[in-house]
Amino acid sequence: MLTTLRRIVLEFSQASELDQALMHLVSQVKEALATQCCSVYLADHQKQHFLLMASNGLAQDAFGRTSIGFTEGLIGLVGQREEPINIANAQQHPDFIHAPEVQEDHFQAFLGTPIIHQRKVLGILTVQQENARIFTENEEAFLVTLSAQLANALVNVEAQGLLEYHGKQSIGKYHKGIGGAPGVAIGQMIVVHPKADLTTIALTKEGDITQQRVIFDNAVIRTFAEFSQMSEKLKKIISDSSLDIFDVYKQLLASDNFKIEVIAKINQGWNAESALKLIVDSYVVKFEALDDEYLRERAYDIKDLGNRLLNNIQNLADHDQHLPEKFILVAEDVSAAMLAEHQHLGLLGIVSLTGSNNSHTAILAKALNIPAIMGVEYLAIRQLHQKHAILDGYAYQLYVTPGEALITEYQHILAAEYQLQAQVKEVEHLPALTKDGHSMSLLVNAGLSSGFEYSQNVGADGVGLYRTEIPFMNRSCFPSELEQTALYRQVLASFSGKPVTMRTLDVGGDKSLPYFPIIEANPFLGWRGIRITLDHPEIFLVQIRAMLRANYGLGNLAIMLPMISSITEVDEAIRLINQAYYELSAELPSHERETLTRPKIGVMIEVPSVIFQLEDLADKVDFFSVGSNDLTQYLLAVDRNNSRVASLYDFYHPAVLRALQYIAQISHKRNMPLSICGELANEATGALLLMAMGYKKLSMSAHSIAKVKWVIRHVEYQKLQKILANVLSLKNTMSVHSYMHEQLVELGLGDFVHARSQ
Ligand code: PEP
Ligand code: MG
């Protein structure tokens, strides 16, 4: 059964035409369950009905015509109840409605299962039979499993307008993602280094068969040569038997069968990538179905070989990677490093298939004011290369080859956005003072992009968070003490006379170093931040020495420790900082010793455990800074980098707000300087609530300073106290959002709660 199920899902996802795929699906399911009818209905949420798309058993004339309202008939009932419905005699069921055009009068037994993706019903899969009988538990389990797997393949069908069956042009075809950074970008898309992966290939037919055959033949030659080189190199290092795998690969590549099969597909019109995918997938299914465990595992080798061949096909077929003057960067996984690399080259926007709203890539995009959407799953990205697009970072939508009317509409949104930016810029250099005289300090988060944030022109009072990991990323080994000293000095000197809080290396999680790979099942719960640097004092000490040396004669450095989860970690880190200080002091000639100053040491409050040890921490350090990005992730147990759970990640969850309030109260009681440097401080709503809680220092991206100042300058602190009291009594996130939306509109700040300005 499992093999049948896999084959059905695989063949469904391989098909290039939806209607053909659905027809093939219903025939296969009918055969697998030895029943007399299988049908599939897809949901159209705009029209609130299910449309019969394909059936093997019902009248063909009804396909694409028969629709059933979301609350009508047995199909509607399956959708409403969101569970399988298994009935021996459907016609006697009170919800049954007669639709003569589908010609189902002779069927009695009915089993329907919903196809659901992330709580949204995408369609209904049914089987029917003439005998009045209940379908067995196994049959039901099969249909439920199949529906769950089909959901992934069907998720974009509605958005892409494929339900518009009769050739009508659908106006708003788009791909949906998750918000990365707000804003709109209109321009050409450039797809960068997609990892060769056969599973991402959308099957495509291409005109020039001869050219595709040449590409495939050359890819085989290249791949063969690569294997020979690899095994030659490795021969010197590993045992001969481990190299057998290369022979297996080479034999398969040389085998006529494999090549002939791929070429036969190319001759049918498929391009080289698609032909390869079709054949590799069919081999994988065959191998996975074998009883012999050793042979079953060879399916993995075939996939690997397929991806290596694909890599060469893509390199050979690659378009000219010359970057246009302005472009939207599209990649399977846009890393923070990739973004940093392209930021000066005309980058208009970012589309990433992976990642979520608080991934470091998204934070960097916000810092650079570049619209971004993340987690755009199920997108065949290679087909986007050089196509024109609108990227809507407010509604998290990507429109590929949009029409003129839509472009004009978005140009208006862009114009309004520029106007708002110009308006807030007027207050950039004025103090962050409320109408009733409450003063705030706005600091900048720096380190993610090179250069921009160091300029003091953005009206910041200093640096609240300097993330040191990016300079560690774009390299092939750890930077030396001298290199780090020069870099840190540049930052400290740019803000001379103003405080600069530098955070010690916080890698791990979604920030990895190419020369220090960490492979873990749960990276955000693993070896990250201070845990790594305490385990590697040689790395930590070099960094601290560099910071202290950079601070000679300037004296504006503060050091901040990330990911602290216990007092022991603080004790150990302070011991190492002291060690570095005394070593440097001993190295300096006595007349220069006074240039060396002891920096203030603080901790990030971002792991929930330390919220319950704030008093103990207060005895040890000089300041607290709340990392609300991680605090939210750990408090709510929601991976900040996982698009599937992105809707659960919310700074305005009552538990997060109450934790923030509690931190403010304890810090106030202990006279402990407190700041916040998570993304929440960038948002108008967040900044106002934090101010009301008693946070005096907000650290944010340079682009947000003017906006937040404007908002602060247009409110009364007293009024905010009342708003906060009401917010803290609310029980769920939705109520907080709608209440705050109302309040900001009432305060005349509606423009800033509109998703666009957050
Ligand atoms: C945070 O967690 O809020 C924070 C500022 O640190 P980062 O986003 O770099 O983890
Ligand atoms: Mg953090």
Side-chain angles (χ1 to χ4, degrees):
M1 223 35 165
L2 183 62
T3 314
T4 314
L5 202 127
R6 277 203 190 150
R7 198 192 59 237
I8 296 177
V9 175
L10 181 74
E11 290 181 12
F12 183 77
S13 56
Q14 279 188 346
S16 56
E17 305 285 339
L18 179 71
D19 48 351
Q20 281 170 14
L22 292 172
M23 281 309 292
H24 189 49
L25 168 83
V26 290
S27 305
Q28 283 177 306
V29 176
K30 181 179 154 185
E31 192 187 319
L33 293 183
T35 180
Q36 288 153 329
C37 176
C38 173
S39 317
V40 61
Y41 298 78
L42 294 186
D44 186 330
H45 287 264
Q46 235 171 3
K47 297 187 182 142
Q48 293 281 297
H49 67 207
F50 293 104
L51 193 63
L52 173 64
M53 295 295 286
S55 174
N56 188 323
L58 300 183
Q60 203 171 342
D61 280 355
F63 304 170
R65 292 176 206 274
T66 295
S67 62
I68 302 175
F70 276 176
T71 54
E72 286 171 9
L74 290 176
I75 299 298
L77 193 64
V78 177
Q80 274 182 309
R81 300 235 306 238
E82 300 181 337
E83 62 179 350
I85 292 190
N86 191 349
I87 312 168
N89 195 331
Q91 318 228 4
Q92 285 170 9
H93 193 281
D95 282 290
F96 179 80
I97 44 170
H98 188 58
E101 73 277 16
V102 299
Q103 297 172 14
E104 61 178 345
D105 293 351
H106 49 302
F107 294 128
Q108 305 211 45
F110 170 96
L111 168 62
T113 57
I115 304 170
I116 302 182
H117 180 80
Q118 296 194 342
R119 303 187 186 188
K120 186 173 175 189
V121 177
L122 304 178
I124 311 286
L125 188 61
T126 65
V127 285
Q128 288 167 273
Q129 199 157 354
E130 287 176 7
N131 305 346
R133 66 147 181 134
I134 294 283
F135 283 90
T136 66
E137 294 221 340
N138 280 349
E139 287 167 329
E140 192 175 313
F142 177 86
L143 214 62
V144 168
T145 316
L146 181 63
S147 303
Q149 297 204 15
L150 288 177
N152 281 350
L154 282 173
V155 67
N156 265 326
V157 164
E158 192 184 29
Q160 289 174 28
L162 297 177
L163 294 181
E164 302 293 325
Y165 213 55
H166 303 292
K168 276 183 260 155
Q169 182 63 37
S170 131
I171 334 148
K173 292 183 187 180
Y174 60 81
H175 297 276
K176 184 95 183 147
I178 291 164
V184 167
I186 305 174
Q188 197 185 29
M189 290 183 284
I190 295 294
V191 177
V192 176
H193 307 310
K195 225 182 350 174
D197 182 353
L198 281 169
T199 58
T200 65
I201 299 295
L203 296 180
T204 316
K205 294 207 168 176
E206 207 142 298
D208 194 338
I209 291 177
T210 321
Q211 187 200 17
Q212 294 303 309
R213 283 186 57 162
V214 171
I215 289 175
F216 176 68
D217 286 339
N218 287 337
V220 171
I221 295 168
R222 273 201 194 184
T223 313
F224 198 88
E226 279 167 11
F227 286 135
S228 303
Q229 278 168 9
M230 264 191 266
S231 60
E232 273 313 304
K233 269 195 202 158
L234 289 173
K235 249 183 209 152
K236 296 170 199 144
I237 310 166
I238 56 175
S239 69
D240 281 356
S241 62
S242 314
L243 296 170
D244 291 350
I245 185 65
F246 292 112
D247 291 331
V248 177
Y249 282 2
K250 286 200 304 200
Q251 274 162 20
L252 196 66
L253 273 180
S255 96
D256 280 345
N257 277 355
F258 181 75
K259 281 193 285 189
I260 287 170
E261 285 178 62
V262 176
I263 287 170
K265 289 285 178 202
I266 294 179
N267 288 342
Q268 286 169 14
W270 297 107
N271 66 10
E273 291 178 359
S274 306
L276 177 71
K277 177 182 168 68
L278 288 167
I279 299 308
V280 169
D281 283 350
S282 69
Y283 272 65
V284 169
V285 170
K286 276 185 219 150
F287 273 77
E288 283 181 344
L290 294 174
D291 287 335
D292 182 301
E293 194 182 334
Y294 174 80
L295 288 174
R296 241 189 356 255
E297 289 201 351
R298 300 288 63 78
Y300 171 82
D301 299 331
I302 293 181
K303 279 187 220 165
D304 185 41
L305 172 70
N307 285 334
R308 285 168 191 277
L309 265 168
L310 180 67
N311 187 34
N312 280 323
I313 290 176
Q314 291 180 339
N315 287 341
L316 287 160
D318 237 345
H319 318 262
D320 180 7
Q321 273 295 353
H322 171 72
L323 291 177
E325 220 169 277
K326 301 252 180 237
F327 63 95
I328 296 171
L329 177 78
V330 183
E332 188 172 328
D333 183 10
V334 180
S335 62
M338 194 188 277
L339 182 45
E341 198 183 305
H342 286 86
Q343 62 169 304
H344 299 302
L345 305 174
L347 189 58
L348 289 174
I350 292 151
V351 177
S352 179
L353 267 58
T354 56
S356 192
N357 41 6
N358 280 286
S359 305
H360 280 91
T361 305
I363 294 177
L364 173 55
K366 278 183 219 149
L368 295 168
N369 211 17
I370 294 173
I373 53 176
M374 316 289 291
V376 195
E377 288 183 58
Y378 320 111
L379 189 60
I381 56 171
R382 284 196 74 82
Q383 294 186 353
L384 303 183
H385 190 61
Q386 293 179 336
K387 293 217 168 98
H388 206 69
I390 297 173
L391 184 167
D392 180 343
Y394 303 124
Y396 328 141
Q397 288 165 350
L398 178 75
Y399 295 86
V400 180
T401 47
E404 278 306 316
L406 201 61
I407 295 181
T408 313
E409 202 179 301
Y410 271 95
Q411 275 162 343
H412 286 137
I413 296 179
L414 267 178
E417 198 56 24
Y418 289 141
Q419 206 182 335
L420 195 63
Q421 277 171 18
Q423 172 192 322
V424 298
K425 202 129 180 82
E426 288 166 17
V427 301
E428 194 172 67
H429 296 288
L430 300 178
L433 201 65
T434 62
K435 290 206 261 184
D436 50 352
H438 182 85
S439 132
M440 294 290 289
S441 174
L442 304 191
L443 302 132
V444 74
N445 284 349
L448 281 176
S449 72
S450 51
F452 174 77
E453 310 103 325
Y454 310 148
S455 110
Q456 295 187 51
N457 295 334
V458 294
D461 296 324
V463 176
L465 163 67
Y466 176 76
R467 288 182 169 96
T468 53
E469 36 287 347
I470 297 286
F472 278 69
M473 280 181 187
N474 299 332
R475 319 172 39 91
S476 52
C477 61
F478 283 105
S480 69
E481 185 175 321
L482 263 183
E483 283 171 305
Q484 290 188 55
T485 308
L487 185 71
Y488 303 153
R489 179 133 191 115
Q490 194 194 340
V491 184
L492 291 168
S494 311
F495 280 87
S496 170
K498 291 183 175 176
V500 173
T501 302
M502 293 199 163
R503 180 173 73 181
T504 62
L505 192 62
D506 184 21
V507 287
D510 63 343
K511 284 175 289 188
S512 59
L513 302 177
Y515 47 90
F516 192 66
I518 304 166
I519 314 284
E520 291 179 331
N522 287 311
F524 277 112
L525 295 182
W527 209 37
R528 194 190 159 194
I530 198 77
R531 299 173 182 178
I532 296 182
T533 46
L534 288 180
D535 286 350
H536 279 280
E538 77 286 14
I539 298 170
F540 190 70
L541 282 168
V542 166
Q543 184 173 44
I544 299 294
R545 282 173 60 95
M547 286 180 182
L548 295 176
R549 286 175 70 180
N551 195 33
Y552 283 170
L554 289 168
N556 55 343
L557 165 76
I559 295 180
M560 181 155 77
L561 308 169
M563 271 293 286
I564 291 292
S565 60
S566 73
I567 300 295
T568 319
E569 287 165 342
V570 179
D571 287 337
E572 285 171 13
I574 293 178
R575 180 180 61 76
L576 290 169
I577 295 172
N578 286 340
Q579 179 183 328
Y581 177 82
Y582 290 121
E583 278 168 14
L584 276 178
S585 157
E587 284 166 26
L588 280 174
S590 54
H591 64 278
E592 278 182 29
R593 260 180 221 148
E594 71 206 34
T595 59
L596 177 67
T597 46
R598 261 173 177 285
K600 295 226 182 310
I601 301 174
V603 286
M604 290 198 70
I605 308 295
E606 50 185 354
V607 179
S609 60
V610 293
I611 297 181
F612 303 99
Q613 287 200 284
L614 288 174
E615 302 258 11
D616 304 325
L617 276 177
D619 294 334
K620 307 262 174 192
V621 296
D622 303 308
F623 64 93
F624 294 156
S625 183
V626 178
S628 49
N629 305 335
D630 277 314
L631 187 61
T632 304
Q633 143 165 278
Y634 294 126
L635 214 47
L636 303 182
V638 180
D639 180 345
R640 65 194 262 189
N641 205 28
N642 181 343
S643 51
R644 276 210 193 130
V645 287
S647 62
L648 299 177
Y649 182 102
D650 201 310
F651 302 131
Y652 301 94
H653 187 295
V656 177
L657 295 176
R658 289 173 203 180
L660 291 167
Q661 158 89 346
Y662 176 75
I663 297 166
Q665 280 168 348
I666 301 291
S667 307
H668 182 69
K669 179 176 138 203
R670 290 298 303 258
N671 252 336
M672 176 62 61
L674 173 69
S675 66
I676 180 158
C677 55
E679 292 303 293
L680 178 63
N682 286 269
E683 299 184 0
T685 313
L688 293 183
L689 288 176
L690 290 164
M691 176 163 76
M693 287 177 191
Y695 287 78
K696 304 276 281 174
K697 292 181 185 176
L698 307 179
S699 192
M700 62 197 70
S701 86
H703 285 286
S704 299
I705 298 242
K707 174 186 79 182
V708 172
K709 248 186 211 178
W710 172 280
V711 169
I712 290 175
R713 291 177 62 84
H714 284 81
V715 293
E716 278 168 30
Y717 186 66
Q718 288 307 322
K719 167 100 181 124
L720 288 181
Q721 294 297 319
K722 292 193 191 113
I723 294 179
L724 175 67
N726 289 337
V727 164
L728 289 173
S729 71
L730 297 171
K731 307 272 180 296
N732 63 58
T733 316
M734 281 289 287
S735 332
V736 177
H737 281 289
S738 54
Y739 175 75
M740 284 309 292
H741 190 281
E742 261 169 42
Q743 293 306 307
L744 267 85
V745 170
E746 217 169 273
L747 289 167
L749 299 169
D751 278 350
F752 299 94
V753 266
H754 190 281
R756 317 202 238 137
S757 303
Q758 285 287 314

